[in-house]
C-alpha cells in the first residue's frame, strides 16, 4: 500500500480504547473524558478483521495503544490473533505501565514482542502530580516484570516539559549505560489539553544535546523511525530524540492510525479521518476505502507552537 508520494505504508497504530487509568495533564482533562458510548467502540472481532485487512494491504508492524491499552478487556485474545499472522513482523504496545506487572507474562505468552513504557519522571511526587494520582512504583514494577518475561527491547518514552522534568535529563540518559534500553525524549505537542500551556513548557529536544554533550549520533537507524538516535560511549542502550515540532520526519512516515471508534487517521496531526465501520461487512469496499484514503496521506503536517489539533492524544494513540 503506497501513498501518492511513494511512501510505503507498513505500520499500523491501533488505539484499542480511549479510556485510561491515569490523567496526565498534557493528555487528558482532569474530569476524564466522556467515554465513548459502548456501541461506538470497535469490538475485538472488528479489530481483528481490520488488522487482517491492513496486513493484507502490506502492514508489517502493529502497535497497540490508547488510551491505556491494558485497561481494555479481551486484549489478550486480540494479541493472540495478530501474533499468529506470519506477515506481522513486529507486534508492540505503548503503555503507561501501571498494569504491566500483573499482565506482562500473559502478554508475552499471547505473542506481544515488546513494550514502550511512558514515564516522564523518576520522582514519585512529580509522577503523582503529572498523572494526577498515579503511583510510580507500579510502573517500576511493570518495567521489572517486562524485562523478566522478555518484552524487550524496552523503550522508555519521556515527554519533555519545561519546568517539570528537564532537571532529570542526565539521570534518564544514564540509565542507558548499563541496560539495553532506549530512552526517548518526545517534544511536547500542542494537541488538545496542551493548546493553552505557556511557551516555556515547550522545549526543543536540542536541550538534551546541550545538557549531555557526550552523546554521539548512532549510524544506521531505521529511516522510518521518528527518533534520531544517540549514545554515550560504551553505553548498552541508546537515547532517542523525537522532535515532531522542531524537526519533522514526515518524508519517511510509513504509519497510519486507527481510533477506537474505527476512524482511520492517515496523519497524527491532521483533523481529517474516515470512518471504516460502515465497510466492516464488505471486504472489498473496506480494502478499497483504506487504499483510497491512505493514498491521500498528506505530504507533511504543519503543526507548530500556536497551532492546535482537535483530538487529544488519548483519542489517537500518540
Ligand atoms: N496510555 C499509554 C501511554 O501513556 O503510554 C498509551 C497512549 S499515550 C496517548 C501515547 C504517548 O503519547 C505517551 O507516551 C504520552 O506521553 C504521549 N503524549 C500524550 N500527550 C502528548 C502531548 N501533548 N505531546 C507529546 N506526547 C504526548
Ligand atoms: Fe493515559 Fe497515556 Fe494519556 Fe497519560 S498519556 S493520560 S497514560 S493515555
Amino acid at each position: 500500500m503506497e501513498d501518492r508520494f511513494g511512501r510505503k505504508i507498513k505500520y499500523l497504530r491501533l488505539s484499542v480504547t480511549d479510556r485510561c487509568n491515569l490523567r496526565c495533564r498534557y493528555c487528558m482533562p482532569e474530569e476524564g473524558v466522556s467515554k465513548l458510548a459502548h456501541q461506538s467502540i470497535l469490538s475485538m472481532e472488528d479489530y481483528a478483521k481490520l488488522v487482517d485487512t491492513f496486513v493484507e494491504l502490506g502492514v508489517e508492524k502493529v502497535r497497540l495503544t490508547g488510551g491505556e491499552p491494558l485497561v481494555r478487556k479481551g486484549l489478550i485474545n486480540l494479541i493472540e490473533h495478530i501474533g499468529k499472522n506470519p506477515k506481522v513482523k513486529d507486534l508492540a504496545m505503548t503503555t503507561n505501565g501501571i498494569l504491566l506487572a500483573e499482565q506482562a507474562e500473559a502478554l508475552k505468552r499471547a505473542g506481544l514482542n515488546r513494550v514502550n513504557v511512558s514515564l516522564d519522571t523518576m520522582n514519585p511526587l512529580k509522577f503523582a502530580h503529572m498523572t494526577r494520582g498515579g503511583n510510580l512504583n507500579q510502573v517500576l514494577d511493570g518495567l521489572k516484570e517486562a524485562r523478566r518475561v522478555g518484552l524487550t527491547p524496552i523503550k522508555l518514552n519521556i515527554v519533555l516539559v519545561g519546568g517539570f522534568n528537564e532537571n532529570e535529563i542526565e539521570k534518564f540518559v544514564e540509565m542507558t549505560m548499563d541496560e539495553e534500553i532506549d530512552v526517548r525524549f518526545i517534544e511536547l505537542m500542542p494537541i488538545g489539553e496542551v493548546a493553552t500551556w505557556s511557551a516555556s513548557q515547550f522545549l526543543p529536544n536540542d536541550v538534551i544535546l546541550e545538557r549531555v554533550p557526550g552523546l554521539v549520533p548512532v549510524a544506521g537507524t531505521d529511516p522510518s523511525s521518528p527518533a534520531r538516535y544517540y549514545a554515550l560511549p560504551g553505553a548498552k542502550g541508546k537515547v532517542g530524540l523525537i522532535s515532531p515540532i522542531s524537526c519533522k520526519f514526515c518524508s519517511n512516515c510509513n504509519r497510519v492510525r486507527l481510533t477506537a471508534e474505527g476512524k482511520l487517521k492517515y496523519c497524527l496531526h491532521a483533523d481529517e479521518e474516515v470512518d471504516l465501520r460502515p465497510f466492516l461487512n464488505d471486504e472489498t469496499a473496506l480494502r478499497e476505502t483504506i487504499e483510497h484514503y491512505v493514498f491521500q496521506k498528506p505530504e507533511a503536517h504543519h503543526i507548530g507552537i500556536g497551532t492546535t489539533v482537535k483530538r487529544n492524544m488519548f483519542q489517537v494513540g500518540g
Side-chain angles (χ1 to χ4, degrees):
M1 186 167 42
E2 225 174 75
D3 71 9
R4 66 202 146 120
F5 302 103
R7 292 172 296 193
K8 289 199 169 29
I9 306 306
K10 295 189 169 180
Y11 179 9
L12 173 66
R13 293 179 69 104
L14 206 60
S15 175
V16 293
T17 178
D18 69 332
R19 302 184 185 197
C20 188
N21 45 3
L22 295 181
R23 294 277 181 277
C24 301
R25 289 171 189 271
Y26 49 70
C27 181
M28 286 238 186
E30 182 162 20
E31 64 281 9
V33 290
S34 60
K35 301 200 172 79
L36 292 172
H38 196 65
Q39 66 271 26
S40 70
I41 294 276
L42 293 176
S43 70
M44 284 304 170
E45 293 72 35
D46 295 337
Y47 278 116
K49 190 182 283 183
L50 284 161
V51 173
D52 289 349
T53 306
F54 275 99
V55 171
E56 280 312 308
L57 289 170
V59 160
E60 296 176 348
K61 175 175 171 181
V62 179
R63 173 172 301 279
L64 306 168
T65 176
E68 172 48 36
L70 295 181
V71 304
R72 177 72 202 242
K73 290 202 174 61
L75 188 67
I76 294 287
N77 295 343
L78 181 64
I79 292 174
E80 271 170 0
H81 178 87
I82 303 172
K84 270 197 287 226
N85 191 327
K87 291 182 179 162
V88 177
K89 298 193 181 136
D90 189 17
L91 176 54
M93 175 185 291
T94 300
T95 169
N96 61 29
I98 292 287
L99 297 174
L100 196 51
E102 56 195 74
Q103 297 190 27
E105 193 156 352
L107 292 167
K108 180 72 186 176
R109 218 177 312 119
L112 188 72
N113 298 132
R114 58 196 181 86
V115 284
N116 289 8
V117 177
S118 305
L119 178 59
D120 304 328
T121 173
M122 295 296 274
N123 176 314
L125 294 178
K126 281 164 70 178
F127 183 82
H129 170 77
M130 187 54 96
T131 58
R132 296 196 184 96
N135 178 347
L136 175 64
N137 278 331
Q138 289 181 297
V139 184
L140 299 180
D141 288 347
L143 279 167
K144 208 187 285 172
E145 190 61 4
R147 281 183 201 107
R148 190 186 72 75
V149 303
L151 284 172
T152 51
I154 294 174
K155 293 181 184 169
L156 219 56
N157 286 343
I158 303 150
V159 176
L160 198 59
V161 181
F164 174 69
N165 57 3
E166 43 186 317
N167 60 345
E168 296 186 61
I169 292 172
E170 289 88 344
K171 203 163 47 179
F172 275 120
V173 171
E174 253 172 55
M175 288 171 71
T176 63
M177 281 309 291
D178 300 322
E179 190 186 342
E180 230 175 275
I181 190 169
D182 285 355
V183 165
R184 310 187 320 160
F185 294 93
I186 304 174
E187 283 177 351
L188 181 65
M189 287 179 251
I191 291 186
E193 287 309 293
V194 182
T196 55
W197 286 27
S198 74
S200 64
Q201 290 171 296
F202 295 86
L203 296 176
N205 259 338
D206 291 347
V207 171
I208 315 289
L209 300 176
E210 285 160 20
R211 287 287 175 88
V212 194
L215 284 169
V216 287
V218 175
T221 42
D222 175 3
S224 71
S225 166
R228 285 176 293 144
Y229 278 102
Y230 296 80
L232 288 174
K236 289 192 178 153
K238 299 194 292 292
V239 174
L241 306 189
I242 302 182
S243 316
I245 307 297
S246 66
C247 170
K248 291 196 288 190
F249 35 80
C250 305
S251 61
N252 289 320
C253 182
N254 67 349
R255 58 189 62 191
V256 289
R257 295 175 156 77
L258 190 67
T259 72
E261 309 148 277
K263 306 263 171 59
L264 170 66
K265 268 186 93 75
Y266 39 55
C267 172
L268 171 63
H269 300 299
D271 283 331
E272 296 88 32
E273 47 194 28
V274 55
D275 192 354
L276 294 182
R277 277 174 309 173
F279 309 104
L280 276 168
N281 293 321
D282 182 343
E283 179 62 30
T284 309
L286 182 60
R287 285 175 66 110
E288 285 174 4
T289 307
I290 294 172
E291 282 180 310
H292 175 78
Y293 280 94
V294 164
F295 191 72
Q296 310 295 325
K297 190 172 156 69
E299 185 172 20
H301 72 74
H302 303 288
I303 195 167
I305 310 300
T307 59
T308 52
V309 169
K310 271 194 300 198
R311 279 181 183 270
N312 274 308
M313 279 296 210
F314 67 87
Q315 294 164 307
V316 287

